[in-house]
């Protein structure tokens, strides 16, 4: 059977959602290589092995494709952490650990996708789009985390600790560790990131997160 080149044009008969997903995945790949400014619809089509006309059929312009890509990443991340942390049969500490684990899950925390997140963080004209699309998701996670910290503080009788402050500190840890994984992969891995968060949770809530 003759081989097919990776970027050869593919069949047009795939369902629309499959095509949109294919283009979003190609956009992620392109941004990770070229950044947002260097990503063009032509590069996306080459990455996906599709025609430019097919991209224009699914997305009005580059900005619409970028917005859909960011929304896909935000929804993917949210679906993972909320599926674990909303289980009724587990306690607050286990739910908080589930949020941490989701943050460093290989499907979410890989250098290709991290490059996309930081591309939106780093380019000033795209930060507004980030806040519009992902800001509420971030706030939701922060509020859920604060609620879980509040339960843990009450259960453990911890004194002088603010649940909101702990939640904000965790968000800062997540962002900083993501950046280190992206920039220094030889020194920072998903496991070292989890270990760093575990050390902080042990410091704050030793009875719930023993070392």
């Amino acid at each position: 059977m003759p081989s097919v080149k990776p970027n050869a044009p593919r069949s047009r008969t795939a369902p629309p959602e499959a095509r949109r997903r294919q283009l979003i995945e190609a956009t992620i790949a392109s941004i990770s290589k070229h950044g947002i400014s260097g990503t063009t619809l032509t590069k996306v089509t080459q990455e996906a092995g599709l025609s430019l006309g097919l991209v224009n059929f699914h997305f009005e312009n580059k900005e619409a494709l970028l917005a859909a890509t960011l929304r896909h990443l935000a929804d993917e991340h949210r679906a993972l952490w909320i599926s674990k942390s909303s289980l009724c049969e587990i306690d607050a500490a286990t739910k908080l650990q589930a949020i941490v684990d989701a943050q460093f899950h290989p499907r979410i925390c890989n250098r290709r996708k991290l490059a996309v997140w930081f591309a939106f963080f780093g380019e000033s004209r795209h930060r507004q789009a980030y806040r519009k699309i992902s800001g509420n998701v971030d706030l939701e996670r922060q509020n859920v985390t604060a609620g879980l910290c509040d339960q843990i503080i009450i259960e453990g009788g911890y004194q002088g600790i603010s649940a909101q402050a702990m939640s904000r500190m965790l968000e800062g840890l997540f962002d900083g560790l993501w950046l280190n994984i992206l920039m220094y992969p030889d020194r920072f891995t998903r496991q070292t990131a989890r270990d760093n968060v575990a050390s902080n949770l042990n410091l704050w809530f030793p009875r719930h997160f023993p070392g």
Side-chain angles (χ1 to χ4, degrees):
M1 180 179 294
S3 61
V4 178
K5 294 180 180 180
N7 292 333
R10 300 169 190 174
S11 169
R12 295 172 177 267
T13 60
E17 280 307 308
R19 279 286 176 252
R20 286 176 62 86
R21 177 65 178 268
Q22 188 178 340
L23 290 167
I24 286 170
E25 292 293 341
T27 303
I28 292 170
S30 179
I31 294 174
S32 71
K33 295 174 185 176
H34 311 292
I36 292 178
S37 297
T39 291
T40 63
L41 293 182
T42 298
K43 284 180 180 174
V44 170
T45 59
Q46 291 172 347
E47 193 75 42
L50 299 172
S51 69
L52 186 58
L54 199 56
V55 181
N56 292 328
F57 175 77
H58 288 286
F59 298 99
E60 182 179 353
N61 50 40
K62 175 183 169 179
E63 296 306 313
L65 178 55
L66 290 175
T69 300
L70 181 58
R71 188 171 293 107
H72 166 77
L73 292 178
D75 289 346
E76 178 184 53
H77 188 191
R78 180 183 184 275
L80 184 59
W81 70 257
I82 210 165
S83 67
K84 303 294 186 182
S85 63
S86 61
L87 296 174
C88 297
E89 63 270 22
I90 60 178
D91 61 18
T94 306
K95 290 179 180 180
L96 184 58
Q97 185 63 56
I99 291 176
V100 174
D101 291 343
Q103 199 75 15
F104 301 108
H105 191 285
R107 189 164 72 244
I108 304 300
C109 182
N110 58 69
R111 296 186 72 241
R112 190 168 60 99
K113 291 181 179 178
L114 293 182
V116 178
W117 284 114
F118 282 100
F120 277 93
F121 295 164
E123 295 195 22
S124 59
R125 72 189 190 93
H126 293 293
R127 282 198 286 269
Q128 184 176 354
Y130 174 86
R131 287 192 294 268
K132 181 179 179 181
I133 293 169
S134 192
N136 287 337
V137 176
D138 290 344
L139 183 59
E140 178 189 25
R141 184 180 59 253
Q142 185 172 321
N143 287 338
V144 170
T145 300
L148 294 173
C149 287
D150 192 49
Q151 291 181 50
I152 292 169
I153 290 167
I154 293 170
E155 289 172 4
Y158 300 107
Q159 300 296 318
I161 299 177
S162 162
Q164 288 290 344
M166 294 300 99
S167 178
R168 288 192 293 269
M169 289 177 70
L170 279 171
E171 288 292 313
L173 269 176
F174 294 156
D175 289 344
L177 290 167
W178 270 15
L179 181 59
N180 282 328
I181 291 169
L182 176 63
M183 296 298 295
Y184 309 108
D186 56 325
R187 288 187 285 138
F188 289 90
T189 66
R190 289 186 292 268
Q191 187 57 53
T192 57
R194 288 192 193 91
D195 292 344
N196 285 333
V197 176
S199 295
N200 281 274
L201 289 173
N202 170 253
L203 182 65
W204 303 333
F205 309 124
R207 288 184 288 280
H208 286 77
F209 296 93

